[in-house]
Amino acid sequence: MVMDVQVVESLRAKDAQAFRLLVERLQQPITGYLHRLVGNREVALDLAQDTFLQVYKEIGKTSSDLILDAWIYRIATNYGLRYLNRKRLRMFVGLEDVSCPEDHNANLMVPGPEGQAETRILVREALQKMKHKDAACLQLHFGNNFTYEEIGQILEMTPEAVRKRVARSVDKFRTLYGTSSLASQQEA
C-alpha cells in the first residue's frame, strides 16, 4: 500500500500529474476488482470513473498520513456495494427483468483451455450467490492480495472481523462452488 506522504500532499494540492499517475497505476486493478464485484464490465468502468472522481474531490479533506490505496479501494467498494443493493432493490420491485440477466459469461470468456472459461463462470455464479460484503472480502483477499488489516480499512471492520468473515466466506464459497460444479457436470 502506498503510504507516501509526498504523493498524498501532491494530490491534496490538486497536482494534475500526480493524479494522472495515480489513475494510471490503479485504474486497471480497481476496474478489475469492481468487475468481479458487480459482474458487468461496463458498470465496473463507470464505477471506477466515479471512484477516481470522488478521490479527486475528497482528497483535500484527508490527513497527510492517509493510507492511499486502502482509502481508494474503500471508495470503490462503497460504489460497488451501493450499485448491487440498488440492483437487488430494482429486481425486487420488478423494475429489472430477472429472466434476462446481464450476460456475465461474455465478459468472462478468455482464450485458453476449454475448462478455464467454465471455471470462471462457476466462480462468478458462486460469488453472485453470496452476500455482497462476503464476496468483496474474498475478492480483496484472494484476488487482490490484501491483508486482513488492509481489508479492514477498506470495509471499515476490525482485522479480526475480516479474518472471521473470510474464513466463513471460504466455507460458503466452497459449498456454493461445489453445488454449481456438480450441476454443471450433470448437464454435460
Side-chain angles (χ1 to χ4, degrees), residues 35-80:
H35 181 209
R36 289 186 303 276
L37 185 64
V38 302
N40 181 302
R41 180 115 178 104
E42 295 303 316
V43 170
L45 288 167
D46 288 345
L47 294 175
Q49 185 176 4
D50 292 344
T51 297
F52 287 112
L53 182 61
Q54 188 72 16
V55 166
Y56 188 79
K57 286 183 189 176
E58 301 297 325
I59 192 75
K61 298 177 185 175
T62 62
S63 65
S64 60
D65 63 343
L66 174 72
I67 300 175
L68 187 61
D69 288 16
W71 181 66
I72 293 170
Y73 270 87
R74 179 186 310 153
I75 293 170
T77 300
N78 288 342
Y79 274 114

Side-chain angles (χ1 to χ4, degrees), residues 12-127:
R12 292 177 82 202
K14 303 294 185 189
D15 179 347
Q17 175 70 8
F19 189 72
R20 186 182 63 74
L21 291 173
L22 175 76
V23 171
E24 285 177 2
R25 182 174 64 84
L26 287 178
Q27 186 168 16
Q28 187 174 357
I30 291 285
T31 302
Y33 166 66
L34 287 166
H35 181 209
R36 289 186 303 276
L37 185 64
V38 302
N40 181 302
R41 180 115 178 104
E42 295 303 316
V43 170
L45 288 167
D46 288 345
L47 294 175
Q49 185 176 4
D50 292 344
T51 297
F52 287 112
L53 182 61
Q54 188 72 16
V55 166
Y56 188 79
K57 286 183 189 176
E58 301 297 325
I59 192 75
K61 298 177 185 175
T62 62
S63 65
S64 60
D65 63 343
L66 174 72
I67 300 175
L68 187 61
D69 288 16
W71 181 66
I72 293 170
Y73 270 87
R74 179 186 310 153
I75 293 170
T77 300
N78 288 342
Y79 274 114
L81 294 176
R82 196 173 310 131
Y83 168 81
L84 290 170
N85 288 333
R86 283 192 312 254
K87 180 179 175 184
R88 183 175 23 183
L89 180 62
R90 284 192 311 267
M91 288 172 61
F92 177 75
V93 174
L95 297 177
E96 197 162 296
D97 187 5
V98 182
S99 65
C100 296
E102 298 162 2
D103 187 8
H104 302 292
N105 301 344
N107 292 325
L108 296 173
M109 296 296 184
V110 294
E114 187 175 299
Q116 187 178 18
E118 182 179 350
T119 299
R120 288 177 181 246
I121 292 167
L122 294 174
V123 167
R124 162 66 42 215
E125 288 173 354
L127 287 172

